[in-house]
Each structure stands twice: as structure tokens, then as C-alpha cells.
Amino acid sequence: MTVATRDSRLQAEVEKIENWWKSEKQSRLQRPYSALDVARMRNSIELNHHVSSQQATKLWKLFEDKIAKQEPLLTYGAVDPILLSQLSKAGLEIGYVSGAVCGFSNVAEPSMDTADYPWDTVPNTVQKLVNSQLWHDRRQNHLRSLMTPEELAATPEIDYLVPLIADGDMGFGSTTGIMKLTKKFVEAGVAMFHLDDLAIGMKRFTIGEGRTVVPTCEYLKRLTAARFQLDLMGAETLLMGRADSLHAEYITSVIDPRDHGYVQGVTNPECEPLLATMVKAQREGSDYKSTRKAWLAKAGLMTFDEAVEQVATPEEYASYMALFKDSKFKSITDRRAHAAKTVSQPVFFDWEAARSTDGQYFFKHTLEHVIDRAIAALPVTDATWARMDAPKWDEIVEFHEKLRAIDNRRAYGFGYTGRYDYLAAGFTEEQFKNLHWELANLGIVFQTQPIYACQGLNMVSLEFGKMFKREGIYGYDRDIIQLCKKNNTDGFETSWCGAKLSDDQMFAADSLDVTLPF
Ligand SMILES: C[C@](O)(C(=O)O)[C@H](CC(=O)O)C(=O)O
């Protein structure tokens, strides 16, 4: 290849990418890299990612339509093709592929939602689901192509190709790892996937420690890595930023000054570091939870600004706060230097002494931080989800009002997490009934009950199993066969199973052996 051929090819690719980035959807994004960076790393043949791009475009239009009409797009976690076919038949317009449910049911070694399953578990599940969607779609097209006009008019058409939104968790790795995950998602045919800001393997469920997030810059790197891969592939696939810092108890590093105002340190100089306390307790065989609780009671954990407020006079504190006139994102170094100038008492604050046995820093989670983080991720993402541990209406409203003041065209997401207690969170029965509409009014059109399978399917399967043990096939006939016949439920011997498609494929493909001599 001559230099001239190489340059003209590169130039053509750059123009193609730049034109693509001018589309209504793409032009909403900002990239820290150029079209030339992308062009240089692309293949020399065009790779089409038709399913993912088409499904993403379909989802994008659905989002636009629902945002305009303030209507919800409800869905639930369906990681099994059979379940997904019925979700579509029920008229739900999107599907959700939950990481937690994949971790229970689509892996060789199941476990709780710590994202310790192999990195390609969710993309592989998407692949299986998309193939099943395409098969149902083909089966339906075939049957409809054989129908009389009357039959056709009397048979409702089902959209089996509902766009799938999948859980990419924390991306399972570094920049190149996330790029591989993204590639797999696109090749599998996903419409949208979300990446969050959680640290890998650091969720705790039962010992009074919650979630751990990574610094803001690391979260943005994750999202940008995914965006870069989508650009390399020329895929329309949507990327959703999920911010989990609300109710996160720890942060892995203090590298990013944007997080400094939320990191907590020890303010009691008499308190020994947490690590030393915990190691001693472990050696002595003391209880982890109560040792940690006793340490917390002594440490006087607070943020640097709170530590300043504790020792400053009101006037001094006001002078200290003047530091934030132009920007709220000041580093600990700036904060310390300004405190030394404005406050007469020394400020004792040690965030190193508060580091956990895994090295994390204590983090004061606030709605403000999750808002900061979600805003920082806007330029590189298509949609946003603030994950919450409890459905607090005031927080939901404040988050979405603040975000929508900056971007009211994007879709926002909400997860009806399994353990939510809506009435305890203060909803009246009437508000609860309308919740999905109220959320849609706030632009939260993507609404998922991610772990339906754990609750709903467990319940159905348990009740069925008890009945079957008691009554045998007689009970099966009464509760399943007869009811399925009455309701025309899909099953093994109905058109749903694709028997006609199978037979007709065989007739079409191998019925005529042209080599036979008669
Ligand atoms: C959505 C989620 O990431 C999932 O894996 O399904 C979980 C679900 C849950 O805890 O209910 C999450 O919200 O973290």
C-alpha cells in the first residue's frame, strides 16, 4: 500500500466517522479522542453490527416517544429465553438482562450479586436471548406467511424483538477489558448496556458494610472505554451510566479531587487506625461487626469540611467556606492550606487512619455526590440511572430535576430493587399505585424490576412443586394442561415451539435430491 492510498483511506474513514457523529443522536455526545484516533484503530473491512445497532435505534425511538408522552417502559429481569418470549407476548416493549439473576442461574458456579462471575456471562446470556428472539420472530413470520387473509387479521402479531438492556456491572476490568466486554455486548445484539461505578468484588451484604465505589475519574474512564469501542465498531448501541454512590460506604482511592469533599477521616487523635484495630481483633478472635462498631463510635469520622466546622468559630468557618466560591471541587491540599489560613485551631483529620482492611477510604454518601457524578458522565453516555437502596421520593425528584435541568432529552432509569419497602419509604397506597407514571413524568422511562425471577419464579415454582408432590399428574393436568388449553397458553405442542418451522425448513432444504436418477 502506498502512502497516498493509506492516507486517502484514512481520510475517507475520518469523514465517515465525522459525518456519523453529526447525527442527532451522536451529536449529543462529547469524545476526548478524535475521529482520526478511531479511524486509525478500525479494521480495513466494514463490520456491520446490524442487530445491536437496529435494536439500539428502536430503543432510542421508544425512549423519545415515551419521554414525550411521559409514559413508562416497564420491564423485568428475564435471563431465560422462555421467560423473555412471554414478557414480549405480554406487551412489554423492552427486556432487562440482570447481572444478579445471571449470577444465580446462568453460570457454572452460582453466587450472590458480587459480580464474581466470568466477565462474558451477561453478554453470553444476551446472545442466547437475542437468538431466541430471532427464532420466535422467524417462526412467527413463517406462520403468518401461510395464513389466509382472515386468519392473518384475526391473529395478533407479537413483537418478539424487544430491545434488550443489559447489566454490564462495573465493566470487569481495565480499559481494554471494558472494550472487550463492550464488543461482546454489541456482537450479542444488545440495545443498551449500563456500566456502574462500583469497585469489583467489594459489595458486602450482611456485615454492616455496603457498597464501594471507584473514584469519579475511574468511572469516567470506564464509560469512555466503552464509548471508544462503540466508535471503533461504528455501533449505535446505547450506553447507560449507572451511578451507585448513593448509599456507598467506601471509595477505593482518593486520587480524584472531585471526591475529596465526601471522603471521611478520623478526627479523634486518640483513636488508633481501623486496620490495626481490626487485625488485632481478628487475632484475638473478637467479633468483626462489634469491633468495627466500637471503633466507629470512637473515631469521630467526618469529612474535612465538617472537621473544620467542628473547631472553627462561625466567622472562621465562613472565611474557610469562601474557598468554594468559584468551584466546589477543591483538593484536600487546597482545603488544608485554606483552613490553615482561616481557622485558628489546628484541624485534626486523618483519612488514612480510617482505611479499611481492604484499603478503602470511608465515604460520606450524599445525593449531592451522586448528582455530581451523574453530571460528569453525561457527555459520554446516552442514558442515566441513579441506583438507590431505598425508594426515597424526595431524592428521586431532586436527582432528576437537577439532571434534567442540564439534559431533559435523555432517558433516565430506575430499578425497583427487590428489597424495597414502598409503604415504609412513605408512599401512600395511591402514590404507590401511580409510581410508574410519576417516575415517567420525571423522564424516568426505563423502569425495571430486575430480580423478578428470584421472587416471582421462586414463588410459582415452589407452589407448583408442593402441589405436584401432593397430587401428581392429576394435579398437573388440572392446574397446567387444562388451564393452558383454556387460555391458549404457549407450550410444547403449540405454534410457539416452532414445529411447523422445523418441518418446513426440512422440506424446503432437503426434500429434493437432484442426484437421484428418477
Ligand atoms: C440491577 C442489578 O444490578 C441486577 O443485577 O439486576 C441489582 C439488582 C438488585 O439488587 O435488586 C442492583 O440494583 O444492584
Side-chain angles (χ1 to χ4, degrees), residues 96-101 112-113 117 167 169 194 196 198 203 211 242 244 385 387-388 415-419 448-451:
Y96 182 66
V97 189
S98 149
V101 182
M112 180 47 169
D113 188 20
Y117 43 79
D167 187 352
D169 285 284
H194 55 82
D196 60 46
L198 289 170
K203 273 190 209 164
R211 294 170 171 238
R242 190 177 103 164
D244 276 47
W385 173 1
R387 188 196 178 280
M388 301 185 166
Y416 295 107
T417 293
R419 285 166 297 221
T448 180
Q449 183 355 310
I451 48 90

Side-chain angles (χ1 to χ4, degrees), residues 20 33 38 41-43 47 49 175-187 193 222-235 237:
W20 176 45
Y33 46 82
V38 176
M41 290 181 232
R42 275 190 166 183
N43 281 106
L47 302 174
H49 304 287
T175 298
T176 51
I178 290 171
M179 288 173 68
K180 286 181 190 169
L181 179 79
T182 304
K183 183 167 184 281
K184 262 275 198 191
F185 267 133
V186 174
E187 287 167 352
F193 64 99
R222 288 177 179 176
L223 294 168
T224 313
R227 174 61 58 200
F228 186 59
Q229 179 64 36
L230 293 178
D231 286 335
L232 283 183
M233 299 175 92
T237 317

Side-chain angles (χ1 to χ4, degrees), residues 150-203:
E150 295 72 32
E151 284 168 338
L152 196 64
T155 315
E157 193 170 2
I158 295 162
D159 182 6
Y160 284 111
L161 293 169
V162 296
L164 299 183
I165 298 172
D167 187 352
D169 285 284
M170 80 317 291
F172 297 91
S174 60
T175 298
T176 51
I178 290 171
M179 288 173 68
K180 286 181 190 169
L181 179 79
T182 304
K183 183 167 184 281
K184 262 275 198 191
F185 267 133
V186 174
E187 287 167 352
V190 84
M192 176 165 92
F193 64 99
H194 55 82
L195 291 179
D196 60 46
D197 54 355
L198 289 170
I200 190 156
M202 285 190 163
K203 273 190 209 164

Side-chain angles (χ1 to χ4, degrees), residues 78-82 84 96-97 124-134 164:
V79 308
D80 167 82
I82 298 178
L84 183 64
Y96 182 66
V97 189
N124 286 340
T125 302
V126 171
Q127 175 88 68
K128 181 169 80 170
L129 294 171
V130 169
N131 285 344
S132 82
Q133 290 183 301
L134 290 167
L164 299 183

